[in-house]
Amino acid sequence: MEDEMEFKWNEENGKNGSGQSRQNGSQNQGQDQAPEAYGELTLDENSKKRRIQLLSIIGEVEGHENLSGNAKATKYDHVLPQLAKLEDDDSVEGLLVLLNTSGGDVDAGLAIAEMIASLSMPTVSLVLGGSHSIGVPLAVSTDYSFIVPTGTMMIHPVRMNGLVIGASQTYEYFDMIQDRILSFISEHSRIAYDQAKRLMLNTEMLTRDLGTVLVGTQAVREGLIDEVGGIRDALGKLYEMVDRRRDNLIK
């Protein structure tokens, strides 16, 4: 069943599911970029010389198929090795994750989120623009999270493209995919599982879909995000966490 379906949690139904997108994406296969080209660099110019790794998750989270060449994408096969390298590098003291994503592949997004959640160093996320769909687990995967006042988060049911078998087992598998997402969100934020599910299946807000859009303080009020703030607040919190960890190591 998994070979015949590609599960998407994306704000646009069927996005990048056409043969044309796959054809364009195949032309880019094997074209590696420098880390800075896809939003990864080290921040170490602060007064106390704290070494902070920056990770940007933008556009669509790409799964096993390459997206079209003109689509902004976060490639999980690039991000996962970088996160493993961070955990192995004792000189890096913290991770700042910037998010402006429309969502994307469920397995790829959850893989990145699980990696971030399991890092031993302090981690902070900042939602800029939007962190929709699979971007929600990514936003809550860090130790502390921020969202700008105009930032948005969209929670809605999982979609899939490709061949769909009309059997009860298909829908049971669908529920299992959504349960994985909801369980991760509830375990890594202050929102309860049932409340997250209610937001996902809300029928009163979106005209062409189920789900809920939360803006800035609403995401904080629901318990998804810890605090409203910008880059200054996010870095300040991360510096505070790094300094506290330094003090504990000295003791």
Side-chain angles (χ1 to χ4, degrees):
M1 183 180 294
E2 288 184 336
D3 293 337
E4 297 170 338
M5 298 180 185
E6 182 178 2
F7 284 86
K8 293 278 189 176
W9 210 26
N10 193 289
E11 63 178 329
E12 297 179 18
N13 193 15
K15 182 177 180 181
N16 295 308
S18 66
Q20 180 65 35
S21 295
R22 289 194 293 270
Q23 180 180 357
N24 292 341
S26 64
Q27 295 173 359
N28 297 323
Q29 191 171 7
Q31 295 180 0
D32 292 332
Q33 297 173 299
E36 293 82 358
Y38 49 88
E40 296 181 20
L41 54 89
T42 302
L43 307 175
D44 57 3
E45 298 297 325
N46 53 84
S47 60
K48 293 188 178 181
K49 298 299 179 183
R50 311 171 188 88
R51 295 199 71 223
I52 306 298
Q53 186 73 13
L54 174 66
L55 171 64
S56 296
I57 298 177
I58 60 173
E60 183 170 350
V61 177
E62 186 180 79
H64 300 304
E65 292 186 354
N66 288 328
L67 300 177
S68 61
N70 60 354
K72 290 286 186 180
T74 295
K75 299 176 180 292
Y76 85 106
D77 51 326
H78 286 166
V79 175
L80 295 184
Q82 286 296 319
L83 291 173
K85 182 179 179 181
L86 284 184
E87 181 64 22
D88 190 55
D89 188 349
D90 293 335
S91 68
V92 178
E93 299 179 281
L95 174 68
L96 175 63
V97 183
L98 302 182
L99 295 122
N100 188 6
T101 175
S102 60
D105 186 89
V106 170
D107 286 339
L110 283 178
I112 297 173
E114 290 283 11
M115 284 282 281
I116 294 173
S118 64
L119 291 173
S120 59
M121 68 186 65
T123 56
V124 170
S125 64
L126 173 59
V127 175
L128 301 161
S131 188
H132 300 170
S133 307
I134 203 62
V136 177
L138 289 166
V140 305
S141 64
T142 54
D143 299 325
Y144 204 84
S145 56
F146 287 88
I147 186 170
V148 295
T150 58
T152 59
M153 303 185 78
M154 180 187 293
I155 305 179
H156 61 75
V158 175
R159 307 183 181 102
M160 63 181 171
N161 53 27
L163 178 63
V164 178
I165 301 174
S168 60
Q169 289 86 345
T170 299
Y171 299 100
E172 291 171 3
Y173 187 51
F174 219 84
D175 284 338
M176 185 185 74
I177 298 294
Q178 294 188 159
D179 178 70
R180 290 165 59 199
I181 296 168
L182 292 171
S183 295
F184 185 92
I185 292 172
S186 62
E187 288 169 6
H188 292 86
S189 68
R190 294 177 289 106
I191 193 171
Y193 180 99
D194 291 341
Q195 174 64 0
K197 188 173 183 178
R198 185 189 68 79
L199 295 176
M200 176 183 279
L201 303 179
N202 180 25
T203 61
E204 299 175 357
M205 186 173 197
L206 303 179
T207 57
R208 295 186 298 170
D209 197 1
L210 303 179
T212 304
V213 178
L214 302 171
V215 181
T217 55
Q218 293 175 328
V220 176
R221 193 180 306 123
E222 292 290 349
L224 278 176
I225 298 296
D226 292 309
E227 191 175 336
V228 173
I231 185 64
R232 176 182 60 188
D233 305 289
L235 275 175
K237 182 66 176 181
L238 191 51
Y239 292 159
E240 176 187 321
M241 296 165 69
V242 168
D243 291 344
R244 189 183 308 124
R245 188 167 185 257
R246 281 181 176 182
D247 293 340
N248 291 335
L249 289 175
I250 292 175
K251 294 176 183 178

